[in-house]
């Protein structure tokens, strides 16, 4: 039994494996007695087929009211079609910080004891969608162009978030990842701002390091333990966070939180996995861990920790694992095993 008040929250099951991993996650949250009262909404491909709109106003209005959402992956057409509903949600609610922790959950893998957090700028950079084609000689796509934009205010916002987060969590070091040797304005402003605010606000409180993105990608594979908290611009963060997920067993293990000053949306790092959708074999851990971050966010660290401990015991003591982790459990079998562990932890 929990004593906290009910907390209204929006639930978007999403596309592909989204509904399967959402069901699994809700089983765990119900077993915990989590305080969320869900307002179920649709977005992405599911809502294109249902109501002809990848981000219906009802969904946006629901998050405007609850300021809190758990979201399954949303499909985005490649190379054309509608703009990503994920990106639109991040813009709509100014969710400027994307926090993606990666922790080794299963010992004995290629990398042991990984404990990294990637903080990604979520609203600017090359994700702003200022793109167009220039037609030449009858080829409508003869030239493709994109404009990236990073602002001083946006850089300051995310960098302060990352330094504050690292200090609050007792971390040792923040690594600022950039490509300021080539993109001297677009990512130069990010590095310049990082140096400035470190000097003025954080010096002496935490270690500061700079790393060029290509070198960072290599170092993450060679010796990931040298990093602690990484903060970077939008596209680099997108790519490096998938790489980091690979260090802890793949995308099925990586949760993410999109945080703004007035709202937060929690999700798995991975997408809708169309190749395995509908088969009931997806790994629900990433969304479950996102739900644990959501519990932390509302101050229910007790429940978040219980959920993380139940997942750990299911993986390592019961040895119940989905196919991506070398096991044979279905999504629902894994979820049922987590529920048993949660009940046993009362
Ligand atoms: P993806 O992350 O969906 O899949 C990549 C690979 O990882 C696939 O082989 C998939 O089977 C596997 N995988 C992903 N999650 C898994 C899980 N929980 N358990 C077991 N295996 C898992 O990436 P992909 O294929 O590039 O994207 C598919 C769609 O998802 C696209 O429409 C994309 O735009 C969208 N997407 C949405 C995101 C979001 O809603 N935040 C994030 C990334 C992609």
């Amino acid at each position: 039994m929990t004593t906290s008040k009910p907390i209204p929250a929006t639930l978007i099951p999403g596309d592909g494996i989204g509904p399967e991993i959402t069901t699994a996650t809700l089983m765990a949250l119900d077993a915990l007695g989590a305080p969320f009262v869900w307002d179920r909404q649709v977005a992405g491909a599911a809502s294109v087929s249902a109501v002809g709109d990848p981000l219906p106003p009802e969904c946006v209005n629901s998050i405007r009211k609850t300021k809190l959402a758990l979201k399954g992956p949303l499909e985005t057409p490649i190379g054309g079609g509608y703009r990503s509903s994920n990106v639109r949600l991040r813009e709509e609610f100014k969710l400027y910080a994307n926090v993606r922790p990666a922790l080794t959950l299963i010992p004995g893998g290629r990398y042991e004891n990984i404990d990294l957090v990637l903080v990604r700028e979520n609203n600017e950079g090359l994700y702003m969608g200022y793109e167009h084609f220039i037609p030449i000689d009858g080829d409508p796509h003869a030239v493709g162009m994109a404009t990236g934009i990073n602002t001083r205010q946006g850089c300051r916002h995310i960098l302060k978030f990352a330094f504050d987060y690292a200090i609050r969590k007792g971390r040792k070091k923040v690594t600022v990842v950039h490509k300021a040797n080539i993109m001297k304005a677009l990512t130069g402003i990010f590095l310049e701002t990082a140096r400035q605010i470190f000097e003025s606000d954080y010096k002496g409180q935490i270690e500061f390091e700079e790393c060029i993105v290509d070198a960072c990608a290599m170092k993450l594979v060679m010796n990931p333990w040298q990093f602690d908290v990484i903060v970077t611009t939008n596209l680099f963060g997108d790519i490096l966070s998938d790489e980091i997920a690979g260090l802890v067993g793949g995308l099925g293990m990586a949760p993410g939180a999109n945080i703004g000053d007035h709202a937060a949306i929690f999700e798995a790092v991975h997408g809708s996995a169309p190749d395995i959708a509908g088969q009931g074999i997806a790994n629900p851990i990433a969304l479950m861990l996102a739900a644990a971050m959501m519990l932390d966010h509302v101050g229910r660290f007790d429940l978040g920790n219980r959920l993380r401990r139940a997942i750990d015991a299911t993986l390592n003591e019961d040895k119940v694992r989905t196919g991506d982790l070398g096991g044979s459990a279905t999504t629902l079998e894994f979820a049922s095993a987590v529920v048993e562990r949660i009940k046993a932890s009362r």
Side-chain angles (χ1 to χ4, degrees):
M1 278 289 285
T2 65
T3 51
S4 68
K5 280 197 306 207
I7 300 174
T10 305
L11 180 70
I12 307 170
D15 299 317
I17 60 170
E20 301 162 47
I21 58 174
T22 300
T23 300
T25 302
L26 290 181
M27 285 166 66
L29 289 173
D30 285 348
L32 282 168
F36 304 121
V37 180
W38 301 110
D39 179 19
R40 204 176 259 264
Q41 295 291 334
V42 286
S47 70
V48 172
S49 23
V51 294
D53 183 348
L55 191 57
E58 291 79 8
C59 179
V60 175
N61 287 337
S62 170
I63 302 172
R64 197 163 286 138
K65 268 192 236 135
T66 62
K67 301 177 173 36
L68 188 65
L70 182 66
K71 186 187 75 59
L74 303 179
E75 208 174 290
T76 309
I78 294 175
Y82 60 83
R83 191 150 178 262
S84 163
S85 306
N86 294 309
V87 173
R88 284 176 60 198
L89 280 171
R90 291 168 192 166
E91 285 173 358
E92 177 72 34
F93 294 102
K94 298 190 171 48
L95 308 174
Y96 64 93
N98 193 327
V99 182
R100 296 181 161 186
L103 191 68
T104 301
L105 292 183
I106 303 179
R110 238 178 286 180
Y111 296 91
E112 292 275 15
N113 300 321
I114 299 289
D115 182 4
L116 284 172
V117 181
L118 185 129
V119 178
R120 162 187 174 190
E121 198 292 315
N122 223 8
N123 287 150
E124 301 195 329
L126 283 158
Y127 269 63
M128 303 208 50
Y130 295 143
E131 288 199 289
H132 60 275
F133 292 108
I134 300 175
I136 301 175
D137 291 341
D139 177 357
H141 292 178
V143 178
M145 287 181 69
T147 305
I149 295 178
N150 284 325
T151 64
R152 178 76 76 199
Q153 192 190 29
C155 293
R156 214 190 291 273
H157 216 176
I158 188 67
L159 287 157
K160 276 188 143 315
F161 178 94
F163 281 117
D164 289 340
Y165 173 93
I167 291 166
R168 196 171 65 244
K169 297 278 181 185
R171 297 276 176 167
K172 301 266 173 301
K173 181 169 79 170
V174 174
T175 304
V176 176
V177 174
H178 63 90
K179 187 76 186 175
N181 52 330
I182 303 298
M183 290 185 278
K184 293 178 194 291
L186 186 67
T187 85
I189 188 178
F190 191 75
L191 179 61
E192 183 185 278
T193 310
R195 288 175 178 165
Q196 283 170 0
I197 70 161
F198 176 71
E199 279 298 318
S200 60
D201 296 355
Y202 298 100
K203 201 169 181 173
Q205 295 184 65
I206 194 153
E207 210 183 310
F208 170 84
E209 179 183 65
E210 302 171 6
C211 193
I212 296 177
V213 64
D214 37 340
C216 180
M218 183 272 295
K219 287 177 180 182
L220 277 168
V221 173
M222 300 289 287
N223 175 12
W225 301 277
Q226 68 190 283
F227 295 108
D228 190 358
V229 174
I230 293 174
V231 59
T232 189
T233 48
N234 207 338
L235 180 61
F236 298 160
D238 185 26
I239 297 166
L240 291 181
S241 60
D242 272 32
E243 183 185 358
I244 290 170
L247 302 174
V248 295
L251 283 170
M253 312 292 268
N258 299 283
I259 309 279
D261 289 335
H262 306 293
I265 300 181
F266 296 81
E267 62 180 348
V269 167
H270 63 71
S272 59
D275 52 336
I276 57 165
Q279 297 176 33
I281 58 169
N283 182 351
I285 292 177
L287 194 65
M288 286 184 177
L289 291 174
M293 291 176 83
M294 185 166 164
L295 286 163
D296 294 345
H297 180 79
V298 299
R300 294 305 307 263
F301 297 97
D302 55 333
L303 297 182
N305 288 336
R306 257 177 83 198
L307 178 50
R308 283 183 282 262
R309 280 198 300 272
I311 292 169
D312 181 30
T314 304
L315 288 171
N316 295 311
E317 291 173 46
D318 307 334
K319 309 276 184 216
V320 177
R321 298 173 188 176
T322 46
D324 56 315
L325 302 176
S328 59
T330 64
T331 311
L332 289 181
E333 283 164 355
F334 183 84
S336 302
V338 171
V339 166
E340 288 312 308
R341 280 287 174 179
I342 290 169
K343 285 184 183 158
S345 70
R346 277 222 177 90

